[in-house]
mmCIF file of all heavy atoms in Angstrom:
data_model
loop_
_atom_site.group_PDB
_atom_site.id
_atom_site.type_symbol
_atom_site.label_atom_id
_atom_site.label_comp_id
_atom_site.label_asym_id
_atom_site.label_seq_id
_atom_site.Cartn_x
_atom_site.Cartn_y
_atom_site.Cartn_z
ATOM 1 N N ASN A 22 -6.645 1.077 19.566
ATOM 2 C CA ASN A 22 -5.873 1.625 20.681
ATOM 3 C C ASN A 22 -5.896 0.687 21.874
ATOM 4 O O ASN A 22 -4.867 0.407 22.500
ATOM 5 C CB ASN A 22 -6.449 2.996 21.062
ATOM 6 C CG ASN A 22 -5.514 3.767 21.976
ATOM 7 O OD1 ASN A 22 -4.355 3.400 22.140
ATOM 8 N ND2 ASN A 22 -6.015 4.825 22.584
ATOM 9 N N ALA A 42 -11.958 -12.946 12.611
ATOM 10 C CA ALA A 42 -10.957 -11.880 12.504
ATOM 11 C C ALA A 42 -11.324 -10.939 11.342
ATOM 12 O O ALA A 42 -11.058 -9.732 11.410
ATOM 13 C CB ALA A 42 -9.576 -12.486 12.275
ATOM 14 N N GLU A 65 -15.874 -6.281 26.810
ATOM 15 C CA GLU A 65 -15.621 -7.305 27.826
ATOM 16 C C GLU A 65 -14.384 -8.112 27.496
ATOM 17 O O GLU A 65 -13.582 -8.439 28.376
ATOM 18 C CB GLU A 65 -16.841 -8.218 27.943
ATOM 19 C CG GLU A 65 -18.056 -7.532 28.565
ATOM 20 C CD GLU A 65 -19.294 -8.399 28.556
ATOM 21 O OE1 GLU A 65 -19.269 -9.454 27.857
ATOM 22 O OE2 GLU A 65 -20.282 -8.037 29.229
ATOM 23 N N SER A 88 -24.019 3.727 34.494
ATOM 24 C CA SER A 88 -24.305 4.931 35.277
ATOM 25 C C SER A 88 -23.096 5.326 36.113
ATOM 26 O O SER A 88 -22.169 4.531 36.323
ATOM 27 C CB SER A 88 -25.508 4.686 36.197
ATOM 28 O OG SER A 88 -25.228 3.626 37.109
ATOM 29 N N ALA A 136 -1.160 11.010 59.435
ATOM 30 C CA ALA A 136 -1.143 12.316 58.788
ATOM 31 C C ALA A 136 -0.843 13.424 59.793
ATOM 32 O O ALA A 136 -0.048 14.329 59.520
ATOM 33 C CB ALA A 136 -2.473 12.574 58.090
ATOM 34 N N ARG A 183 -0.297 6.244 32.602
ATOM 35 C CA ARG A 183 -1.021 5.053 32.160
ATOM 36 C C ARG A 183 -2.530 5.287 32.233
ATOM 37 O O ARG A 183 -3.272 4.904 31.336
ATOM 38 C CB ARG A 183 -0.616 3.864 33.034
ATOM 39 C CG ARG A 183 -1.109 2.513 32.537
ATOM 40 C CD ARG A 183 -0.515 1.372 33.337
ATOM 41 N NE ARG A 183 0.898 1.199 33.072
ATOM 42 C CZ ARG A 183 1.865 1.541 33.921
ATOM 43 N NH1 ARG A 183 1.586 2.090 35.084
ATOM 44 N NH2 ARG A 183 3.133 1.347 33.613
ATOM 45 N N ALA A 185 -4.025 8.117 32.052
ATOM 46 C CA ALA A 185 -4.435 9.186 31.140
ATOM 47 C C ALA A 185 -4.476 8.745 29.677
ATOM 48 O O ALA A 185 -4.998 9.476 28.829
ATOM 49 C CB ALA A 185 -3.485 10.378 31.272
ATOM 50 N N MET A 186 -3.962 7.572 29.390
ATOM 51 C CA MET A 186 -3.860 7.120 28.004
ATOM 52 C C MET A 186 -5.207 7.100 27.296
ATOM 53 O O MET A 186 -5.310 7.417 26.113
ATOM 54 C CB MET A 186 -3.212 5.730 27.939
ATOM 55 C CG MET A 186 -1.714 5.726 28.190
ATOM 56 S SD MET A 186 -1.034 4.051 28.199
ATOM 57 C CE MET A 186 -1.324 3.544 26.516
ATOM 58 N N LEU A 195 -6.497 14.186 33.202
ATOM 59 C CA LEU A 195 -5.593 14.908 32.296
ATOM 60 C C LEU A 195 -5.126 16.217 32.917
ATOM 61 O O LEU A 195 -3.940 16.569 32.830
ATOM 62 C CB LEU A 195 -6.306 15.179 30.970
ATOM 63 C CG LEU A 195 -6.729 13.943 30.166
ATOM 64 C CD1 LEU A 195 -7.515 14.360 28.929
ATOM 65 C CD2 LEU A 195 -5.520 13.123 29.771
ATOM 66 N N LEU A 198 -2.598 15.482 35.801
ATOM 67 C CA LEU A 198 -1.268 15.140 35.287
ATOM 68 C C LEU A 198 -0.568 16.381 34.751
ATOM 69 O O LEU A 198 0.620 16.601 35.025
ATOM 70 C CB LEU A 198 -1.397 14.081 34.189
ATOM 71 C CG LEU A 198 -0.091 13.656 33.512
ATOM 72 C CD1 LEU A 198 0.896 13.095 34.521
ATOM 73 C CD2 LEU A 198 -0.380 12.637 32.408
ATOM 74 N N ARG A 210 12.275 14.169 31.914
ATOM 75 C CA ARG A 210 12.053 12.784 31.485
ATOM 76 C C ARG A 210 10.742 12.231 32.043
ATOM 77 O O ARG A 210 10.190 11.275 31.510
ATOM 78 C CB ARG A 210 13.239 11.897 31.909
ATOM 79 C CG ARG A 210 13.439 11.778 33.407
ATOM 80 C CD ARG A 210 14.699 10.987 33.739
ATOM 81 N NE ARG A 210 14.914 10.878 35.175
ATOM 82 C CZ ARG A 210 14.387 9.952 35.944
ATOM 83 N NH1 ARG A 210 13.617 9.012 35.392
ATOM 84 N NH2 ARG A 210 14.625 9.918 37.237
ATOM 85 N N HIS A 212 8.006 13.674 31.872
ATOM 86 C CA HIS A 212 6.912 14.108 30.996
ATOM 87 C C HIS A 212 6.530 13.030 29.988
ATOM 88 O O HIS A 212 5.476 13.120 29.366
ATOM 89 C CB HIS A 212 7.307 15.383 30.248
ATOM 90 C CG HIS A 212 7.356 16.594 31.122
ATOM 91 N ND1 HIS A 212 6.582 17.716 30.897
ATOM 92 C CD2 HIS A 212 8.071 16.867 32.255
ATOM 93 C CE1 HIS A 212 6.819 18.618 31.828
ATOM 94 N NE2 HIS A 212 7.725 18.128 32.649
ATOM 95 N N ALA A 220 3.396 -2.023 35.334
ATOM 96 C CA ALA A 220 2.093 -1.451 35.688
ATOM 97 C C ALA A 220 1.861 -1.507 37.191
ATOM 98 O O ALA A 220 1.273 -0.608 37.776
ATOM 99 C CB ALA A 220 0.991 -2.186 34.949
ATOM 100 N N LEU A 222 3.858 -2.167 40.819
ATOM 101 C CA LEU A 222 5.155 -2.314 41.466
ATOM 102 C C LEU A 222 5.025 -1.916 42.923
ATOM 103 O O LEU A 222 4.404 -0.910 43.237
ATOM 104 C CB LEU A 222 6.195 -1.426 40.770
ATOM 105 C CG LEU A 222 7.646 -1.543 41.211
ATOM 106 C CD1 LEU A 222 8.154 -2.950 40.932
ATOM 107 C CD2 LEU A 222 8.505 -0.528 40.507
ATOM 108 N N ILE A 230 10.109 12.537 59.935
ATOM 109 C CA ILE A 230 9.985 13.877 60.509
ATOM 110 C C ILE A 230 10.813 13.890 61.780
ATOM 111 O O ILE A 230 10.590 13.119 62.707
ATOM 112 C CB ILE A 230 8.509 14.249 60.789
ATOM 113 C CG1 ILE A 230 8.403 15.674 61.306
ATOM 114 C CG2 ILE A 230 7.826 13.258 61.719
ATOM 115 C CD1 ILE A 230 6.984 16.231 61.352
ATOM 116 N N ALA A 235 8.965 6.058 59.545
ATOM 117 C CA ALA A 235 7.978 5.018 59.268
ATOM 118 C C ALA A 235 8.183 4.551 57.834
ATOM 119 O O ALA A 235 8.179 5.364 56.903
ATOM 120 C CB ALA A 235 6.561 5.532 59.460
#
Side-chain angles (χ1 to χ4, degrees):
N22 194 13
E65 290 174 348
S88 61
R183 190 172 290 106
M186 286 176 65
L195 297 176
L198 178 59
R210 64 185 179 86
H212 288 239
L222 186 62
I230 183 169

